[in-house]
Amino acid sequence: RQFNYSFIEFARMLLCKRKITRTRPLACERLETRRLLASFGTPWPESRTLTVSFPSDQAQIGAYSNRIGETLDSVADRREWQTAALRAFQTWAVETNLNIGLKTDRGDHFGAVGLSQGDPRFGDFRIGAFPQDGVLANALPYQTVAGTWAGDVLLNTQVNYFLAESEDESEIEVPGPDKNGPAVELFSVLLHEAGNALGLADVEEPGTVMHKHYEGPKGHLTGADEQAIESLYGGPRRDIYESRPNDQRYSATRVHHPNGFDGAQPLTFRGSLNTQDDVDVYRLNPLPGEERVTVRLRASGISLVKARLQLLDHAGNVIGDVEADSIFDNDLELQIPSLENHPSLYVRVQPDSDDVFGVGDYEIHIDFRSPLRPSDCNAETDVEAESESDEDFESDDDDEFVDV
């Protein structure tokens, strides 16, 4: 059973829900040579700001209605199959310089006129489902001519899906067939289609995730798969916000108040957990008159990272600690009501997950305003903090400032 139609076949299928009855005999006509643009092999232009969304079942897919919820709710709990879809994209992201966040979907029809990437109404990758013949699913890679169709993953509603409880292929028990045919493992299909949506073509090499035919459950990328995604987006993954390691207090990245800072808006800067073992530490020296502080970590819409946020005093004692509930609720906040005995503070960010969800970008907001006032976490109005790393953190000599 194959995965994808060609782009032309796919478009024809969406637009033609019913067969057309011809009224004249078939005849052959010679046409000029046509050369079409390659569908695969083009990376997404802004690879660290990609997003995924789940449209409602009322969204139209060509002549069909989206049936993703109706199809997969019978396979697993909605949070479980949505997590599987997000894990599929994140499995590729951790191998290279990709960053993928979860975005709310407004429910517009698939292919609505708009931006190929960064459309405010929905994610770059939209997950849907409708009936198809002869394939398990379809995914469209990035192409400017594809408009908002680019990145969409569309499952076949006429497939007997099941969701494996283990990522170890040897431990997976495959259920028996039903009216839709042999059982097909859902995550394995989503992992393949996520690769297509990111720009990878199907291959002939057996055993790889990107093999053109479904071969059974696959929970991990092979070396060939990793090389393929790195050829598009570079690798291994690197931290673009960090000029030197900042995993300890003595090497913490300093957060400086910009000239003229009056506390009317939060300080904001970005960071990244690059591996499941990565730790980021930032040092903050409150200014005179700053009485309290609220530190927020924002990851929603930015990445799927499940992080842990801690505040430490100048001696390294933990005075605040919070962990993300899930990848669907991964924003964090800590408050220090009084800064009287805190000449300096350290903000420590580390993964709260030892799997693929322990990696991703985030944004830090440091707010000195009263929590009774409306908070403002809008990056467009926040003040961009200056930061620098210095192993001798007790000395201000030869400071090197880096805009984060």
Side-chain angles (χ1 to χ4, degrees):
R1 305 182 71 174
Q2 66 181 18
F3 280 99
N4 299 309
Y5 290 114
S6 70
F7 183 79
I8 300 301
E9 292 170 330
F10 177 66
R12 184 185 299 119
M13 176 183 57
L14 286 177
L15 297 174
C16 302
K17 191 170 182 179
R18 298 180 178 85
K19 292 183 178 179
I20 300 174
T21 302
R22 299 183 181 274
T23 57
R24 60 188 179 87
L26 292 175
C28 295
E29 179 181 356
R30 183 179 294 277
L31 300 176
E32 67 272 21
T33 301
R34 305 265 185 185
R35 294 185 180 273
L36 301 179
L37 293 173
S39 297
F40 296 96
T42 301
W44 287 77
E46 300 295 334
S47 62
R48 295 196 77 111
T49 59
L50 296 168
T51 54
V52 179
S53 66
F54 298 96
S56 67
D57 276 10
Q58 286 71 43
Q60 286 295 117
I61 308 176
Y64 298 84
S65 294
N66 180 30
R67 288 291 178 264
I68 187 70
E70 177 184 309
T71 302
L72 298 186
D73 283 349
S74 61
V75 176
D77 178 79
R78 180 162 294 195
R79 276 295 173 90
E80 291 183 29
W81 64 257
Q82 287 184 345
T83 299
L86 296 174
R87 184 182 297 276
F89 279 93
Q90 187 72 357
T91 299
W92 293 102
V94 299
E95 299 297 334
T96 186
N97 296 296
L98 287 168
N99 203 67
I100 300 172
L102 177 62
K103 189 171 185 176
T104 300
D105 196 296
R106 202 178 73 172
D108 294 67
H109 64 84
F110 283 73
V113 176
L115 302 175
S116 299
Q117 182 176 1
D119 196 293
R121 299 167 295 175
F122 38 70
D124 304 311
F125 308 107
R126 305 179 78 192
I127 315 296
F130 73 103
Q132 305 168 54
D133 295 326
V135 295
L136 299 177
N138 269 286
L140 301 180
Y142 177 78
Q143 296 178 67
T144 54
V145 296
T148 62
W149 283 112
D152 291 351
V153 173
L154 300 167
L155 301 178
N156 185 357
T157 58
Q158 303 175 122
V159 173
N160 175 20
Y161 293 115
F162 77 98
L163 186 59
E165 297 181 359
S166 172
E167 295 182 18
D168 187 344
E169 293 92 337
S170 63
E171 298 178 358
I172 297 176
E173 295 184 8
V174 180
D178 69 1
K179 63 178 182 179
N180 288 323
V184 174
E185 207 280 311
L186 176 62
F187 175 76
S188 306
V189 174
L190 290 168
L191 187 60
H192 177 100
E193 296 304 319
N196 284 148
L198 289 167
L200 299 181
D202 293 355
V203 299
E204 300 284 346
E205 185 177 347
T208 60
V209 167
M210 296 311 300
H211 185 56
K212 65 180 182 179
H213 295 300
Y214 177 77
E215 300 175 302
K218 294 175 183 176
H220 303 88
L221 303 182
T222 66
D225 294 316
E226 294 172 2
Q227 291 175 11
I229 196 68
E230 288 181 5
S231 70
L232 278 183
Y233 298 98
R237 187 181 178 91
R238 60 188 178 89
D239 191 338
I240 63 174
Y241 307 108
E242 192 175 290
S243 60
R244 66 186 77 177
N246 64 342
D247 57 344
Q248 302 292 333
R249 283 192 303 127
Y250 65 80
S251 60
T253 299
R254 298 187 185 186
V255 180
H256 290 268
H257 297 68
N259 292 333
F261 178 73
D262 60 1
Q265 300 292 341
L267 296 170
T268 182
F269 56 90
R270 280 213 173 192
S272 181
L273 293 175
N274 219 34
T275 68
Q276 289 90 341
D277 300 320
D278 194 10
V279 178
D280 292 336
V281 182
Y282 306 93
R283 185 186 179 189
L284 174 68
N285 294 331
L287 296 178
E290 294 175 341
E291 301 176 352
R292 64 187 66 81
V293 68
T294 300
V295 178
R296 301 181 183 90
L297 182 148
R298 177 173 168 252
S300 60
I302 296 175
S303 78
L304 298 172
V305 68
K306 189 170 179 284
R308 179 180 184 181
L309 175 67
Q310 293 179 312
L311 288 182
L312 289 70
D313 63 15
H314 65 282
N317 301 309
V318 177
I319 57 176
D321 194 344
V322 64
E323 302 171 354
D325 292 333
S326 72
I327 58 174
F328 298 95
D329 185 15
N330 58 350
D331 288 345
L332 302 172
E333 179 177 309
L334 287 172
Q335 293 184 10
I336 303 298
S338 175
L339 295 174
E340 183 177 356
N341 298 318
H342 299 297
S344 62
L345 291 172
Y346 294 91
V347 179
R348 184 160 63 193
V349 181
Q350 59 195 70
D352 188 42
S353 175
D354 58 2
D355 63 5
V356 295
F357 294 123
V359 173
D361 292 0
Y362 58 85
E363 200 167 70
I364 295 291
H365 299 261
I366 299 176
D367 195 345
F368 295 101
R369 299 173 300 176
S370 168
L372 297 178
R373 294 173 60 183
S375 62
D376 183 1
C377 282
N378 188 334
E380 294 183 355
T381 57
D382 291 357
V383 178
E384 184 172 306
E386 292 177 322
S387 70
E388 53 86 16
S389 298
D390 196 332
E391 293 183 357
D392 182 11
F393 66 91
E394 292 296 334
S395 172
D396 287 330
D397 295 336
D398 299 323
D399 286 345
E400 295 180 7
F401 294 89
V402 179
D403 288 334
V404 181

